[in-house]
Amino acid sequence: MKLPFDPYNILLAGVGGQGIVTVSKILAAAAWKAGFKTSLGEAYGLSQRGGSVVSHLRISSHMELPPLIPDYGTHVLVGLEPAEALRSVESYGNSDTVVIVNPELVPTLEARAGKTDFPDAVELLDAIRALVNTVIEVPAKRLSNRPDKTVLQNSVMLGALCGTALFPADMECVKKVMPDYLSAGKILDANLEAFDAGYTYRVTT
Amino acid sequence: MAINAALAIHSSGKEVFLLGNEAIARGALEAGIQVATGYPGNPSSEILGSLNQLAPRLGFYSEWSVNEKVAMEVAAAASFAGLRSLVTMKMNGLNVCADFLTTVNLTGCNGGFVCVTCDDPGALSSGNEQDSRHYARFCQLPMLEPSTCQEAKEMMKYAFEISEEFGLPVLLRSVSRLSHGQGPVSLGDLPRLERVPYYDTSKPFLAAPPRQSHLHQALLAKVVQIKTRFDECQFNTYTGSVDAQSLIITSGLGALFSKEALHLLALEEKVGILNIGTPWPLPDELIKKHLAAKKRVLFVENTDPFLETEVMALAAGLVSTIGVGQFFGQRDGAMAGPFGAGIGELGTEVVVKALAKMEGASAKCIEPRFKVDLATLTNTRVPPRIPSFCEGCSHRASFWAINTALKLSGEDIFVSGDIGCYGLSMGPTGFNTTKVLHCMGAGFGMASGFGALAKLGMEQKVVAVVGDSTFYHAAIPALLNARMNGADILFIVLDNGATSMTGHQPNPGSGRNSMGGVVEPVLVEDLCGALHIPVSTRDPLNVHDSINEISTMLEMSGPRLLVLRSPCAIQQAREARGENIKQLRARVDQGTCIGNQCTCGAFCTKVLGCPGNAWDSETGKAYIDERFCNGCKLCVDLCPVQAISLAEVSH
């Protein structure tokens, strides 16, 4: 597959504990297996305890790239959570960034405790739409069919990303890499199903 | 931690996608290390974490040591006995090792001995953002700094060769974005491990007077030889046109950020990049050659102006031969992030701005371009996510107990804390309890000091709180000090059975060792018994009992210690899932809950703040978010109207 831009910059944003690291590793491995020069930039640390998590995925056909996307240089932003998506758009996005976002809110602790306000999903998505031209909402919770297993929503988003044809490795390549990062058996199967649901949703909408 | 199977593959030439830390581990394996040590610390932990899992299979020895200094000494012993050895740490570990590092540089080493230090520019999870390169110059030890995962692996092998050839420990510096980044790596061979350790006492390593001047002289002579070697080193590379009038001098990730910046500004023909893979000793002749050929130089580095300072000193000595050049970097403010020069992580946009200044180019490519000006956006401010204790964390219970007991005492008492998960107690998740916090062991150390001030009229009292791993790492000397000098302090050790913040590595109290074996734990209370320090043990999740015990112990005098012991909730949950144990979850009875008539407007949500305690603004009542409940029972015990109870949930 040809890259729409070279370097091609994909940013993933979400909340610590959602599984961003795993999703990023899957995408990076797939891009690398598809023959691209790939860099993945992450930071493990305090984000684990419910903080903001951002992964930088950089792909090129010829250049070895540093692990961080330059300011405002993101081509595709995968938001596993709308508040984190907005936060990342403001630092790393531009008007042409395609934002693929799961509208399922993960409010801060203080907000869930009723201590502070938290913008609702509509407000957040509107703010993103005010900044960029293309926002694709993916109702991952409904598509995952397992509202209790929130981590499956990541695989829905993976599938949806592949369904937009914005990822330079094809969906078979991504699915082939998933077993290296997900436990075999029920867990892998559930994630592959969720992936298919996300993919089908994008391809048919 | 799942081990990347690629690390143990014997087949040479295969290309795999690895974490920077995994590449470093693989490099050590390909160099034939027989001993690996370290202390957990972000961003270094995965190096030894990987090696620990492979050690039994591949036949070498590996351990998480009690602290970085001991870790370095253990690795040095292996080197002195002729084996190749590795010690790993985050950059602060070098501070802990400094005493040994500044003597072993003089005595030298035998088998190759490499110390990997991982820096955290921007202090993403550290108390500071120190630059390890200073240690290389200070100790006059060779240092290598990779730019990519592949280079990290190759430099490890080269480091061992240099170390053995010159009989000197070698440092390798990584940064968080390299250690936790990923990239392709071509595997080499894994050698057979055949050396048998033997320390030749006829050639002893002795760092003691009156030999210092001779040892120092010998060290500097080695450095001169290594400098000449590094002038030809394959890791010091120039990329760019021979006609380029400008030069970037950089090391590590700076090389990649520079390359991308030049690409964005289309300046590849005008500016060359000299990537210094050996920041110490600097390859002077190589640098001089490039300085002579260029009019303008930009220094690109993470974090301090290390290369900038050294190269400008070199250039000052060359004024009469090559004239005066123009230098750009941190000194003139060209290289500056949002907080100023030398502060925060390096990024392509920082280099773009600096290049724009040096070359008179436009930096438009990194400016915001949204549909509307960011500043005109409506007030949709996204609140920050403040780090907090996990659901069910025993530290929440411990700090609730400590805070309550201190308030009940009616006295002016504050808490001296330390670093680890429990360090979050300086924030709202730990009820803002900790009032002074620095480095490993300072919790007990400073308390020992505050305790002594009573002799000079200080009326405030102090309670010291450290975690189990911190206790074994650094706090024991302070405890001994308190005992020896009769300080009047209540020491508290929060024992959750593992070094949790960094990934649940084992420590002397865990009852297991680094290679997975079961060992007898060293109990804090046994140590106190031996020191004749009164000691008590409680489960912090029996919170009322813990409050009482703290209150009682506050009334005592002299040094005394309370162990609050309960296993880490995350680790426990993992083990329970694995064994299919029936789990308990809390539930709020909606009839009994008094909503915002409750103390402080809703105790469980507004005060306790466990991720599981949620508020339903429609019903005006609290409820438990079952995704985040570990059944620890703390909110059950503390709810002022006993509206919360536990129920079994099977998996």
Side-chain angles (χ1 to χ4, degrees):
Chain A
M1 257 195 217
K2 198 176 173 302
L3 293 174
F5 300 93
D6 197 333
Y8 193 48
N9 302 322
I10 301 177
L11 192 117
L12 297 104
V15 181
Q18 275 189 300
I20 281 211
V21 166
T22 309
V23 171
S24 313
K25 283 183 170 176
I26 291 170
L27 286 174
W32 174 66
K33 287 220 160 100
F36 294 103
K37 291 195 186 297
T38 308
S39 283
L40 181 62
E42 300 190 290
Y44 312 147
L46 287 180
S47 43
Q48 211 169 311
R49 274 130 198 105
S52 306
V53 178
V54 171
S55 288
H56 301 239
L57 177 57
R58 317 213 52 206
I59 305 172
S60 171
S61 58
H62 62 275
M63 257 182 94
E64 198 155 29
L65 293 165
L68 292 175
I69 297 172
D71 283 354
Y72 315 113
T74 304
H75 298 110
V76 179
L77 196 147
V78 180
L80 299 189
E81 198 276 339
E84 296 311 314
L86 176 60
R87 207 196 305 274
S88 296
V89 165
E90 288 177 348
S91 310
Y92 291 105
N94 60 67
S95 52
D96 296 320
T97 305
V98 176
V99 177
I100 303 173
V101 61
N102 177 357
E104 187 69 14
L105 273 180
V106 177
T108 57
L109 275 191
E110 295 76 34
R112 269 185 315 112
K115 270 163 135 171
T116 59
D117 285 327
F118 197 81
D120 63 38
V122 172
E123 214 184 317
L124 290 165
L125 292 169
D126 281 347
I128 299 174
R129 285 197 180 91
L131 291 171
V132 311
N133 290 317
T134 316
V135 178
I136 301 172
E137 266 183 69
V138 179
K141 185 173 177 179
R142 171 175 68 77
L143 289 169
S144 73
N145 227 6
R146 290 291 306 271
D148 56 317
K149 289 274 175 219
T150 53
V151 75
L152 289 175
Q153 293 174 31
N154 300 332
S155 291
V156 172
M157 298 302 286
L158 258 186
L161 173 65
C162 290
T164 56
L166 285 170
F167 191 67
D170 64 43
M171 77 106 131
E172 284 310 326
C173 187
V174 176
K175 285 180 86 171
K176 245 199 225 156
V177 162
M178 284 170 75
D180 294 340
Y181 296 93
L182 298 163
S183 314
K186 281 197 287 193
I187 291 178
L188 177 62
D189 292 341
N191 277 284
L192 288 170
E193 242 182 78
F195 179 97
D196 286 336
Y199 183 81
T200 308
Y201 173 77
R202 265 316 294 167
V203 164
T204 57
T205 357
Chain B
M1 195 196 84
I3 176 71
N4 189 332
L7 286 182
I9 296 175
H10 284 268
S11 58
S12 179
K14 190 163 155 63
E15 208 186 53
V16 293
F17 205 59
L18 294 180
L19 263 190
N21 278 350
E22 290 170 338
I24 291 171
R26 178 68 192 198
L29 293 175
E30 290 181 12
I33 53 150
Q34 289 178 259
V35 171
T37 67
Y39 183 78
N42 188 310
S44 71
S45 311
E46 294 82 3
I47 304 170
L48 195 64
S50 314
L51 292 173
N52 277 336
Q53 293 190 42
L54 292 169
R57 198 191 327 174
L58 296 180
F60 61 93
Y61 176 72
S62 175
E63 71 169 48
W64 286 119
S65 310
V66 160
N67 64 36
E68 290 90 342
K69 179 168 183 282
V70 175
M72 182 174 275
E73 289 155 355
V74 171
S79 162
F80 287 12
L83 304 180
R84 286 192 165 185
S85 66
L86 169 72
V87 57
T88 71
M89 59 192 69
K90 70 180 291 165
M91 74 282 193
N92 306 86
L94 284 180
N95 304 336
V96 180
C97 291
D99 215 6
F100 187 69
L101 205 53
T102 48
T103 41
V104 75
N105 57 345
L106 295 174
T107 57
C109 65
N110 182 2
F113 177 28
V114 174
C115 169
V116 176
T117 168
C118 298
D119 291 3
D120 184 10
L124 302 172
S125 51
S126 305
N128 64 5
E129 48 177 341
Q130 71 182 52
D131 189 330
S132 288
R133 293 175 300 170
H134 295 296
Y135 270 99
R137 179 179 54 195
F138 173 41
C139 300
Q140 292 289 6
L141 289 174
M143 176 180 259
L144 300 166
E145 184 175 2
S147 303
T148 63
C149 295
Q150 178 70 29
E151 242 186 22
K153 190 193 70 117
E154 286 169 16
M155 280 185 175
M156 281 298 288
K157 286 155 73 172
Y158 182 69
F160 281 101
E161 287 160 19
I162 294 289
S163 175
E164 271 180 7
E165 186 181 338
F166 294 95
L168 267 188
V170 173
L171 302 169
L172 184 128
R173 180 211 193 199
S174 178
V175 295
S176 49
R177 295 295 182 177
L178 179 65
S179 280
H180 289 158
Q182 287 195 285
V185 176
S186 290
L187 302 181
D189 290 322
L190 290 183
R192 291 175 66 90
L193 305 173
E194 285 168 330
R195 298 185 191 180
V196 177
Y198 176 73
Y199 179 54
D200 184 353
T201 54
S202 72
K203 298 187 194 125
F205 291 81
L206 300 167
R211 320 179 64 226
Q212 291 349 78
S213 299
H214 292 104
L215 293 179
H216 197 178
Q217 186 182 45
L219 171 61
L220 293 181
K222 284 182 191 176
V223 169
V224 168
Q225 289 184 296
I226 296 171
K227 200 187 258 288
T228 310
R229 180 68 60 85
F230 282 172
D231 279 326
E232 308 292 322
C233 176
Q234 75 264 36
F235 297 116
N236 294 322
T237 53
Y238 176 78
T239 351
S241 151
V242 280
D243 300 319
Q245 297 284 292
S246 303
L247 178 69
I248 291 176
I249 298 183
T250 184
S251 67
L253 287 182
L256 293 175
F257 291 123
S258 299
K259 197 161 140 202
E260 180 166 34
L262 289 181
H263 177 77
L264 285 174
L265 293 171
L267 285 174
E268 288 112 320
E269 290 306 304
K270 297 219 173 97
V271 185
I273 301 176
L274 180 61
N275 184 9
I276 305 289
T278 63
W280 200 261
L282 277 176
D284 287 351
E285 296 310 310
L286 177 69
I287 293 173
K288 282 179 193 173
K289 197 180 83 176
H290 286 282
L291 286 178
K294 303 287 188 283
K295 289 201 168 66
R296 291 172 295 276
V297 180
L298 171 66
F299 298 98
V300 171
E301 43 190 336
N302 245 337
T303 306
D304 290 342
F306 181 84
L307 295 174
E308 184 169 339
T309 310
E310 289 299 312
V311 172
M312 286 186 73
L314 192 65
L318 296 171
V319 165
S320 55
T321 43
I322 66 170
V324 182
Q326 270 188 292
F327 295 98
F328 299 82
Q330 292 184 29
R331 281 157 182 259
D332 72 316
M335 284 288 298
F339 284 98
I343 304 171
E345 284 196 278
L346 201 51
T348 300
E349 59 282 340
V350 181
V351 186
V352 164
K353 284 185 197 139
L355 278 171
K357 183 180 181 191
M358 179 166 84
E359 299 299 304
S362 154
K364 257 191 108 61
C365 59
I366 46 132
E367 277 163 21
R369 44 181 190 92
F370 292 103
K371 276 165 53 174
V372 298
D373 190 336
L374 262 180
T376 66
L377 254 198
T378 57
N379 295 325
T380 311
R381 286 299 112 211
V382 187
R385 293 191 193 265
I386 303 169
S388 77
F389 294 137
C390 302
E391 52 275 20
C393 177
S394 49
H395 296 326
R396 180 173 286 109
S398 294
F399 284 101
W400 180 259
I402 294 167
N403 226 323
T404 306
L406 293 194
K407 297 232 162 57
L408 287 175
S409 76
E411 293 191 83
D412 187 354
I413 316 182
F414 63 89
V415 167
S416 170
D418 217 296
I419 54 183
C421 284
Y422 60 93
L424 296 177
S425 61
M426 59 183 178
T429 194
F431 321 110
N432 309 305
T433 306
T434 294
K435 296 301 184 190
V436 57
L437 186 139
H438 291 82
C439 62
M440 296 291 281
F444 273 23
M446 292 216 68
S448 190
F450 284 121
L453 294 178
K455 299 182 175 74
L456 297 177
M458 179 155 155
E459 289 186 353
Q460 291 162 291
K461 296 212 181 136
V462 67
V463 168
V465 181
V466 307
D468 49 309
S469 203
T470 310
F471 176 80
Y472 301 113
H473 181 295
I476 296 174
L479 191 64
L480 284 166
N481 189 58
R483 167 80 168 78
M484 188 176 108
N485 293 307
D488 184 14
I489 311 167
L490 170 57
F491 293 101
I492 299 180
V493 175
L494 304 180
D495 185 357
N496 65 0
T499 310
S500 304
M501 182 59 115
T502 46
H504 303 103
Q505 291 85 4
N507 61 47
S510 306
R512 54 189 168 94
N513 66 20
S514 313
M515 305 217 293
V518 173
V519 294
E520 193 190 335
V522 175
L523 294 175
V524 177
E525 52 269 43
D526 289 349
L527 266 169
C528 292
L531 294 176
H532 299 183
I533 291 177
V535 65
S536 182
T537 320
R538 287 292 183 276
D539 178 352
L541 292 177
N542 287 339
V543 65
H544 296 298
D545 186 27
S546 298
I547 293 171
N548 285 336
E549 187 61 11
I550 296 169
S551 299
T552 305
M553 292 186 85
L554 280 172
E555 304 278 295
M556 293 165 67
S557 58
R560 61 266 189 219
L561 192 144
L562 171 64
V563 181
L564 291 175
R565 177 176 289 126
S566 180
C568 166
I570 295 290
Q571 200 167 11
Q572 216 179 13
R574 263 189 217 141
E575 282 160 18
R577 269 201 300 276
E579 294 177 31
N580 247 333
I581 292 173
K582 277 204 161 62
Q583 291 172 63
L584 300 167
R585 293 287 179 270
R587 193 179 304 136
V588 178
D589 182 279
Q590 298 293 294
T592 318
C593 173
I594 54 174
N596 48 26
Q597 301 301 304
C598 181
T599 335
C600 325
F603 173 77
C604 60
T605 50
K606 299 266 194 313
V607 180
L608 197 58
C610 174
N613 297 122
W615 181 256
D616 188 339
S617 48
E618 281 175 32
T619 60
K621 297 277 171 85
Y623 71 99
I624 301 296
D625 189 334
E626 282 203 13
R627 296 175 295 174
F628 303 114
C629 179
N630 254 329
C632 74
K633 215 166 131 288
L634 184 63
C635 61
V636 172
D637 288 342
L638 293 178
C639 172
V641 296
Q642 281 122 49
I644 313 181
S645 58
L646 281 185
E648 247 177 36
V649 172
S650 60
H651 274 243

